[in-house]
Amino acid sequence: DAMVIQNPRYQVTQFGKPVTLSCSQTLNHNVMYWYQQKSSQAPKLLFHYYDKDFNNEADTPDNFQSRRPNTSFCFLDIRSPGLGDAAMYLCATSKRAQETQYFGPGTRLLVL
Amino acid sequence: GDSVTQMEGPVTLSEEAFLTINCTYTATGYPSLFWYVQYPGEGLQLLLKATKADDKGSNKGFEATYRKETTSFHLEKGSVQVSDSAVYFCALSDPMDSNYQLIWGAGTKLIIKP
């Protein structure tokens, strides 16, 4: 089945220790998104890629970076995680802008 | 700007009860409307969607009708099960908005008791 895959499902890191979360998709969608979600609140968009074009939301902290080396993969890098970065991180894809977004299972990040 | 308002939770029902979760929106264009569901510890799953006025989305016994006149997209199910316990998010996508963001409601936690 075509799908959005996130690894790992759970990630524990130490305060200030860089961490990378990964997302892959078999849907061949053009757009990939990264969201942060805390405590079953609405997801907050961090950034998205339309093909190779990177778009950062204005209020996304500089501590968060992203890479998309090819159509299928996208990475979220947190350069120096703080306690406030503990959250669920969700990857999503859509064929084109403003079309239905399909989400992965998420990675829950714990910062010690 | 665009916005989505959904009823606050938690909503607690007994099994086999009728469910309605209200969702209303404001948008500058003609948005597409979505319901996503999030089971405990999991990601978001698309439950149903509607792309134009009077469309009815349906899936797994859930239904929602796109009502332009009342700017609403209420989620309904005739007989809920314990397995329906989850958080439900209403969202919209506005083609008039150059932003790529989905506009989300705050989410409604649904608890179904046996």
Side-chain angles (χ1 to χ4, degrees), chain B residues 3-87:
Chain B
S3 66
V4 174
T5 303
Q6 57 182 110
M7 62 191 293
E8 291 188 17
V11 172
T12 303
L13 296 171
S14 297
E15 205 166 21
E16 299 184 2
F18 185 86
L19 168 71
T20 300
I21 301 178
N22 291 336
C23 172
T24 57
Y25 68 90
T26 58
T28 52
Y30 296 94
S32 294
L33 300 171
F34 307 89
W35 277 101
Y36 283 88
V37 58
Q38 187 171 34
Y39 299 102
E42 298 186 12
L44 290 157
Q45 297 179 24
L46 177 67
L47 182 58
L48 52 84
K49 67 178 183 180
T51 58
K52 60 182 188 296
D54 300 325
D55 269 3
K56 177 185 283 188
S58 61
N59 186 25
K60 298 181 180 180
F62 290 89
E63 293 183 342
T65 301
Y66 189 141
R67 301 284 188 200
K68 188 172 183 296
E69 63 276 13
T70 55
T71 62
S72 65
F73 193 55
H74 304 322
L75 183 68
E76 296 182 336
K77 187 176 185 184
S79 177
V80 292
Q81 306 301 313
V82 172
S83 57
D84 294 326
S85 298
V87 180

Side-chain angles (χ1 to χ4, degrees), chain A residues 37 50 57 98 100-101 105, chain B residues 36 38 49 93 97 99 101:
Chain A
Q37 186 187 30
Y50 197 123
E57 294 302 306
Q98 304 295 350
T100 303
Q101 293 187 24
Chain B
Y36 283 88
Q38 187 171 34
K49 67 178 183 180
S93 173
D97 186 356
N99 200 319
Q101 288 212 32

Side-chain angles (χ1 to χ4, degrees), chain A residues 5 13-15 23 32 42 53 80 83 88 91 95 109 111:
Chain A
I5 301 161
T13 190
Q14 293 179 334
F15 183 94
C23 176
M32 295 187 77
D53 292 335
S80 182
L83 298 178
M88 174 78 90
C91 176
K95 183 62 175 173
L109 178 67
V111 181

Side-chain angles (χ1 to χ4, degrees), chain A:
Chain A
D1 287 340
M3 56 197 307
V4 182
I5 301 161
Q6 290 188 245
N7 286 304
R9 294 292 308 276
Y10 299 91
Q11 176 73 57
V12 181
T13 190
Q14 293 179 334
F15 183 94
K17 185 176 181 180
V19 65
T20 295
L21 310 181
S22 72
C23 176
S24 63
Q25 54 127 342
T26 60
L27 297 161
N28 201 30
H29 282 175
N30 297 310
V31 193
M32 295 187 77
Y33 308 80
W34 279 106
Y35 289 87
Q36 180 191 64
Q37 186 187 30
K38 295 186 177 183
S39 304
S40 290
Q41 298 174 15
K44 178 181 181 299
L45 183 64
L46 296 174
F47 23 61
H48 73 272
Y49 276 93
Y50 197 123
D51 292 330
K52 293 185 178 181
D53 292 335
F54 175 73
N55 295 271
N56 199 33
E57 294 302 306
D59 56 354
T60 298
D62 292 340
N63 196 28
F64 291 86
Q65 305 285 319
S66 185
R67 297 170 282 133
R68 189 179 185 185
N70 55 53
T71 302
S72 300
F73 284 86
C74 195
F75 299 97
L76 169 62
D77 302 308
I78 308 176
R79 294 192 296 185
S80 182
L83 298 178
D85 297 327
M88 174 78 90
Y89 290 88
L90 298 164
C91 176
T93 73
S94 64
K95 183 62 175 173
R96 283 174 286 272
Q98 304 295 350
E99 294 191 0
T100 303
Q101 293 187 24
Y102 296 91
F103 285 79
T107 295
R108 182 165 295 282
L109 178 67
L110 180 62
V111 181
L112 301 178

